[in-house]
Amino acid sequence: MGKKKPRRPRPSFTPDFKAEIVGLCRRGGRSVGQFAKDLELTETAVRDWVKQAEADAGERNGPTSSGAGRVAAGEPPSA
């Protein structure tokens, strides 16, 4: 059998960088996919950032960033 390619390390992005990308996507002009391609990011990552920003702003159902952190830490969700 052939050797497997080593996995590339997953890049990490700052919250400020993600917010800037989300802002660009929200201003429109191009699709999320086109923004991702132009910035050499994965479309899935950018879509996830936009969805999370919408949840944080109360525009979409789902856990907020602060709520997701509590759940990941094993804390009960706030009522």
Side-chain angles (χ1 to χ4, degrees):
M1 296 248 147
K3 291 183 181 180
K4 287 186 177 180
K5 281 186 175 180
R7 294 184 84 176
R8 289 187 300 169
R10 177 180 270 181
S12 62
F13 301 99
T14 65
D16 289 339
F17 177 80
K18 292 177 185 180
E20 186 175 339
I21 300 304
V22 168
L24 289 171
C25 292
R26 285 183 166 184
R27 282 188 210 99
R30 291 181 282 175
S31 69
V32 171
Q34 190 60 51
F35 275 114
K37 183 177 179 182
D38 292 348
L39 298 169
E40 298 182 4
L41 299 167
T42 65
E43 184 174 349
T44 302
V46 176
R47 285 192 188 283
D48 287 347
W49 299 345
V50 171
K51 287 178 187 177
Q52 187 62 59
E54 290 170 349
D56 291 347
E59 300 167 0
R60 170 187 284 270
N61 289 332
T64 62
S65 294
S66 60
R70 285 194 306 271
V71 171
E75 297 177 25
S78 56

mmCIF file of all heavy atoms in Angstrom, residues 40-69:
data_model
loop_
_atom_site.group_PDB
_atom_site.id
_atom_site.type_symbol
_atom_site.label_atom_id
_atom_site.label_comp_id
_atom_site.label_asym_id
_atom_site.label_seq_id
_atom_site.Cartn_x
_atom_site.Cartn_y
_atom_site.Cartn_z
ATOM 1 N N GLU A 40 -8.851 32.549 -0.593
ATOM 2 C CA GLU A 40 -8.210 31.246 -0.404
ATOM 3 C C GLU A 40 -8.598 30.607 0.929
ATOM 4 O O GLU A 40 -7.778 30.083 1.662
ATOM 5 C CB GLU A 40 -6.686 31.352 -0.554
ATOM 6 C CG GLU A 40 -6.271 31.800 -1.939
ATOM 7 C CD GLU A 40 -4.771 31.869 -2.136
ATOM 8 O OE1 GLU A 40 -4.012 31.495 -1.218
ATOM 9 O OE2 GLU A 40 -4.361 32.305 -3.218
ATOM 10 N N LEU A 41 -9.902 30.674 1.226
ATOM 11 C CA LEU A 41 -10.478 30.044 2.407
ATOM 12 C C LEU A 41 -11.453 28.978 1.920
ATOM 13 O O LEU A 41 -11.893 29.014 0.771
ATOM 14 C CB LEU A 41 -11.228 31.069 3.253
ATOM 15 C CG LEU A 41 -10.399 32.223 3.791
ATOM 16 C CD1 LEU A 41 -11.307 33.319 4.330
ATOM 17 C CD2 LEU A 41 -9.450 31.726 4.859
ATOM 18 N N THR A 42 -11.814 28.055 2.788
ATOM 19 C CA THR A 42 -12.813 27.074 2.383
ATOM 20 C C THR A 42 -14.200 27.705 2.502
ATOM 21 O O THR A 42 -14.477 28.479 3.426
ATOM 22 C CB THR A 42 -12.758 25.793 3.234
ATOM 23 O OG1 THR A 42 -13.107 26.107 4.587
ATOM 24 C CG2 THR A 42 -11.383 25.147 3.183
ATOM 25 N N GLU A 43 -15.050 27.362 1.561
ATOM 26 C CA GLU A 43 -16.408 27.895 1.566
ATOM 27 C C GLU A 43 -17.156 27.457 2.820
ATOM 28 O O GLU A 43 -17.905 28.232 3.412
ATOM 29 C CB GLU A 43 -17.149 27.423 0.315
ATOM 30 C CG GLU A 43 -18.528 27.997 0.174
ATOM 31 C CD GLU A 43 -19.183 27.641 -1.147
ATOM 32 O OE1 GLU A 43 -18.515 27.119 -2.051
ATOM 33 O OE2 GLU A 43 -20.400 27.888 -1.247
ATOM 34 N N THR A 44 -16.911 26.231 3.246
ATOM 35 C CA THR A 44 -17.579 25.716 4.446
ATOM 36 C C THR A 44 -17.224 26.551 5.671
ATOM 37 O O THR A 44 -18.099 26.901 6.474
ATOM 38 C CB THR A 44 -17.190 24.246 4.680
ATOM 39 O OG1 THR A 44 -17.547 23.491 3.527
ATOM 40 C CG2 THR A 44 -17.877 23.680 5.905
ATOM 41 N N ALA A 45 -15.956 26.894 5.829
ATOM 42 C CA ALA A 45 -15.541 27.690 6.986
ATOM 43 C C ALA A 45 -16.217 29.056 6.970
ATOM 44 O O ALA A 45 -16.756 29.504 7.989
ATOM 45 C CB ALA A 45 -14.020 27.848 7.003
ATOM 46 N N VAL A 46 -16.218 29.705 5.821
ATOM 47 C CA VAL A 46 -16.818 31.043 5.738
ATOM 48 C C VAL A 46 -18.316 30.968 5.999
ATOM 49 O O VAL A 46 -18.860 31.789 6.740
ATOM 50 C CB VAL A 46 -16.509 31.703 4.372
ATOM 51 C CG1 VAL A 46 -17.216 33.047 4.250
ATOM 52 C CG2 VAL A 46 -14.997 31.877 4.202
ATOM 53 N N ARG A 47 -18.981 29.962 5.437
ATOM 54 C CA ARG A 47 -20.420 29.803 5.697
ATOM 55 C C ARG A 47 -20.688 29.576 7.190
ATOM 56 O O ARG A 47 -21.641 30.120 7.750
ATOM 57 C CB ARG A 47 -20.993 28.647 4.887
ATOM 58 C CG ARG A 47 -21.162 28.966 3.433
ATOM 59 C CD ARG A 47 -21.995 27.928 2.704
ATOM 60 N NE ARG A 47 -21.970 28.179 1.284
ATOM 61 C CZ ARG A 47 -22.667 29.125 0.670
ATOM 62 N NH1 ARG A 47 -23.428 29.916 1.377
ATOM 63 N NH2 ARG A 47 -22.581 29.289 -0.635
ATOM 64 N N ASP A 48 -19.846 28.784 7.834
ATOM 65 C CA ASP A 48 -20.001 28.545 9.276
ATOM 66 C C ASP A 48 -19.822 29.840 10.061
ATOM 67 O O ASP A 48 -20.548 30.094 11.032
ATOM 68 C CB ASP A 48 -19.010 27.491 9.770
ATOM 69 C CG ASP A 48 -19.370 26.082 9.335
ATOM 70 O OD1 ASP A 48 -20.508 25.867 8.852
ATOM 71 O OD2 ASP A 48 -18.502 25.196 9.477
ATOM 72 N N TRP A 49 -18.855 30.666 9.671
ATOM 73 C CA TRP A 49 -18.635 31.938 10.360
ATOM 74 C C TRP A 49 -19.845 32.847 10.205
ATOM 75 O O TRP A 49 -20.257 33.519 11.159
ATOM 76 C CB TRP A 49 -17.390 32.646 9.838
ATOM 77 C CG TRP A 49 -16.112 31.890 10.024
ATOM 78 C CD1 TRP A 49 -15.887 30.812 10.833
ATOM 79 C CD2 TRP A 49 -14.874 32.140 9.362
ATOM 80 N NE1 TRP A 49 -14.588 30.392 10.714
ATOM 81 C CE2 TRP A 49 -13.939 31.187 9.820
ATOM 82 C CE3 TRP A 49 -14.452 33.073 8.420
ATOM 83 C CZ2 TRP A 49 -12.616 31.142 9.379
ATOM 84 C CZ3 TRP A 49 -13.142 33.041 7.974
ATOM 85 C CH2 TRP A 49 -12.236 32.085 8.456
ATOM 86 N N VAL A 50 -20.427 32.884 8.999
ATOM 87 C CA VAL A 50 -21.604 33.718 8.761
ATOM 88 C C VAL A 50 -22.774 33.203 9.591
ATOM 89 O O VAL A 50 -23.475 33.995 10.246
ATOM 90 C CB VAL A 50 -21.956 33.761 7.257
ATOM 91 C CG1 VAL A 50 -23.302 34.430 7.024
ATOM 92 C CG2 VAL A 50 -20.857 34.478 6.473
ATOM 93 N N LYS A 51 -22.990 31.895 9.604
ATOM 94 C CA LYS A 51 -24.081 31.313 10.403
ATOM 95 C C LYS A 51 -23.905 31.630 11.879
ATOM 96 O O LYS A 51 -24.860 31.970 12.578
ATOM 97 C CB LYS A 51 -24.141 29.796 10.213
ATOM 98 C CG LYS A 51 -24.684 29.370 8.882
ATOM 99 C CD LYS A 51 -24.662 27.859 8.785
ATOM 100 C CE LYS A 51 -25.044 27.378 7.412
ATOM 101 N NZ LYS A 51 -24.949 25.915 7.289
ATOM 102 N N GLN A 52 -22.674 31.518 12.387
ATOM 103 C CA GLN A 52 -22.423 31.796 13.798
ATOM 104 C C GLN A 52 -22.673 33.261 14.112
ATOM 105 O O GLN A 52 -23.258 33.587 15.150
ATOM 106 C CB GLN A 52 -20.988 31.411 14.180
ATOM 107 C CG GLN A 52 -20.721 31.508 15.663
ATOM 108 C CD GLN A 52 -21.604 30.570 16.459
ATOM 109 O OE1 GLN A 52 -21.570 29.362 16.261
ATOM 110 N NE2 GLN A 52 -22.406 31.108 17.359
ATOM 111 N N ALA A 53 -22.264 34.150 13.229
ATOM 112 C CA ALA A 53 -22.497 35.582 13.436
ATOM 113 C C ALA A 53 -23.991 35.876 13.461
ATOM 114 O O ALA A 53 -24.458 36.699 14.263
ATOM 115 C CB ALA A 53 -21.803 36.395 12.345
ATOM 116 N N GLU A 54 -24.753 35.201 12.591
ATOM 117 C CA GLU A 54 -26.207 35.390 12.577
ATOM 118 C C GLU A 54 -26.834 34.886 13.876
ATOM 119 O O GLU A 54 -27.734 35.526 14.420
ATOM 120 C CB GLU A 54 -26.820 34.678 11.372
ATOM 121 C CG GLU A 54 -26.469 35.349 10.056
ATOM 122 C CD GLU A 54 -26.863 34.543 8.834
ATOM 123 O OE1 GLU A 54 -27.228 33.350 8.971
ATOM 124 O OE2 GLU A 54 -26.795 35.098 7.722
ATOM 125 N N ALA A 55 -26.366 33.759 14.393
ATOM 126 C CA ALA A 55 -26.880 33.234 15.671
ATOM 127 C C ALA A 55 -26.526 34.188 16.810
ATOM 128 O O ALA A 55 -27.362 34.458 17.686
ATOM 129 C CB ALA A 55 -26.322 31.847 15.938
ATOM 130 N N ASP A 56 -25.307 34.701 16.798
ATOM 131 C CA ASP A 56 -24.879 35.631 17.850
ATOM 132 C C ASP A 56 -25.708 36.913 17.839
ATOM 133 O O ASP A 56 -25.953 37.510 18.883
ATOM 134 C CB ASP A 56 -23.396 35.976 17.699
ATOM 135 C CG ASP A 56 -22.477 34.809 18.010
ATOM 136 O OD1 ASP A 56 -22.953 33.797 18.587
ATOM 137 O OD2 ASP A 56 -21.282 34.887 17.656
ATOM 138 N N ALA A 57 -26.149 37.325 16.634
ATOM 139 C CA ALA A 57 -26.942 38.550 16.499
ATOM 140 C C ALA A 57 -28.432 38.298 16.699
ATOM 141 O O ALA A 57 -29.233 39.227 16.615
ATOM 142 C CB ALA A 57 -26.696 39.165 15.123
ATOM 143 N N GLY A 58 -28.814 37.041 16.949
ATOM 144 C CA GLY A 58 -30.220 36.707 17.138
ATOM 145 C C GLY A 58 -30.998 36.616 15.841
ATOM 146 O O GLY A 58 -32.222 36.598 15.841
ATOM 147 N N GLU A 59 -30.307 36.561 14.712
ATOM 148 C CA GLU A 59 -30.957 36.493 13.400
ATOM 149 C C GLU A 59 -31.220 35.058 12.963
ATOM 150 O O GLU A 59 -31.867 34.837 11.957
ATOM 151 C CB GLU A 59 -30.070 37.180 12.358
ATOM 152 C CG GLU A 59 -29.808 38.635 12.648
ATOM 153 C CD GLU A 59 -28.689 39.217 11.805
ATOM 154 O OE1 GLU A 59 -28.107 38.487 10.973
ATOM 155 O OE2 GLU A 59 -28.389 40.402 11.985
ATOM 156 N N ARG A 60 -30.687 34.094 13.693
ATOM 157 C CA ARG A 60 -30.798 32.680 13.324
ATOM 158 C C ARG A 60 -30.868 31.879 14.611
ATOM 159 O O ARG A 60 -30.249 32.230 15.605
ATOM 160 C CB ARG A 60 -29.557 32.296 12.520
ATOM 161 C CG ARG A 60 -29.383 30.827 12.262
ATOM 162 C CD ARG A 60 -28.037 30.528 11.600
ATOM 163 N NE ARG A 60 -28.002 30.868 10.223
ATOM 164 C CZ ARG A 60 -28.334 30.039 9.228
ATOM 165 N NH1 ARG A 60 -28.717 28.821 9.502
ATOM 166 N NH2 ARG A 60 -28.273 30.419 7.984
ATOM 167 N N ASN A 61 -31.622 30.792 14.578
ATOM 168 C CA ASN A 61 -31.663 29.894 15.727
ATOM 169 C C ASN A 61 -30.359 29.119 15.812
ATOM 170 O O ASN A 61 -29.771 28.781 14.794
ATOM 171 C CB ASN A 61 -32.827 28.905 15.609
ATOM 172 C CG ASN A 61 -34.162 29.584 15.803
ATOM 173 O OD1 ASN A 61 -34.264 30.585 16.492
ATOM 174 N ND2 ASN A 61 -35.186 29.032 15.194
ATOM 175 N N GLY A 62 -29.955 28.838 17.015
ATOM 176 C CA GLY A 62 -28.743 28.064 17.231
ATOM 177 C C GLY A 62 -27.976 28.624 18.405
ATOM 178 O O GLY A 62 -28.269 29.721 18.895
ATOM 179 N N PRO A 63 -26.984 27.874 18.862
ATOM 180 C CA PRO A 63 -26.202 28.347 20.009
ATOM 181 C C PRO A 63 -25.347 29.550 19.633
ATOM 182 O O PRO A 63 -24.831 29.636 18.530
ATOM 183 C CB PRO A 63 -25.332 27.145 20.371
ATOM 184 C CG PRO A 63 -25.261 26.332 19.128
ATOM 185 C CD PRO A 63 -26.537 26.575 18.383
ATOM 186 N N THR A 64 -25.258 30.476 20.569
ATOM 187 C CA THR A 64 -24.379 31.628 20.362
ATOM 188 C C THR A 64 -22.953 31.223 20.674
ATOM 189 O O THR A 64 -22.703 30.162 21.251
ATOM 190 C CB THR A 64 -24.789 32.799 21.266
ATOM 191 O OG1 THR A 64 -24.644 32.386 22.616
ATOM 192 C CG2 THR A 64 -26.218 33.246 20.995
ATOM 193 N N SER A 65 -22.011 32.060 20.309
ATOM 194 C CA SER A 65 -20.603 31.762 20.582
ATOM 195 C C SER A 65 -20.367 31.566 22.074
ATOM 196 O O SER A 65 -19.687 30.637 22.491
ATOM 197 C CB SER A 65 -19.699 32.891 20.072
ATOM 198 O OG SER A 65 -19.745 32.959 18.672
ATOM 199 N N SER A 66 -20.952 32.426 22.889
ATOM 200 C CA SER A 66 -20.756 32.291 24.334
ATOM 201 C C SER A 66 -21.463 31.048 24.854
ATOM 202 O O SER A 66 -20.958 30.354 25.717
ATOM 203 C CB SER A 66 -21.238 33.536 25.063
ATOM 204 O OG SER A 66 -22.614 33.747 24.826
ATOM 205 N N GLY A 67 -22.625 30.735 24.324
ATOM 206 C CA GLY A 67 -23.355 29.540 24.740
ATOM 207 C C GLY A 67 -22.651 28.273 24.316
ATOM 208 O O GLY A 67 -22.592 27.290 25.063
ATOM 209 N N ALA A 68 -22.080 28.265 23.122
ATOM 210 C CA ALA A 68 -21.362 27.086 22.636
ATOM 211 C C ALA A 68 -20.144 26.827 23.511
ATOM 212 O O ALA A 68 -19.805 25.683 23.794
ATOM 213 C CB ALA A 68 -20.946 27.284 21.187
ATOM 214 N N GLY A 69 -19.499 27.883 23.970
ATOM 215 C CA GLY A 69 -18.340 27.721 24.840
ATOM 216 C C GLY A 69 -18.711 27.110 26.169
ATOM 217 O O GLY A 69 -18.003 26.273 26.710
#
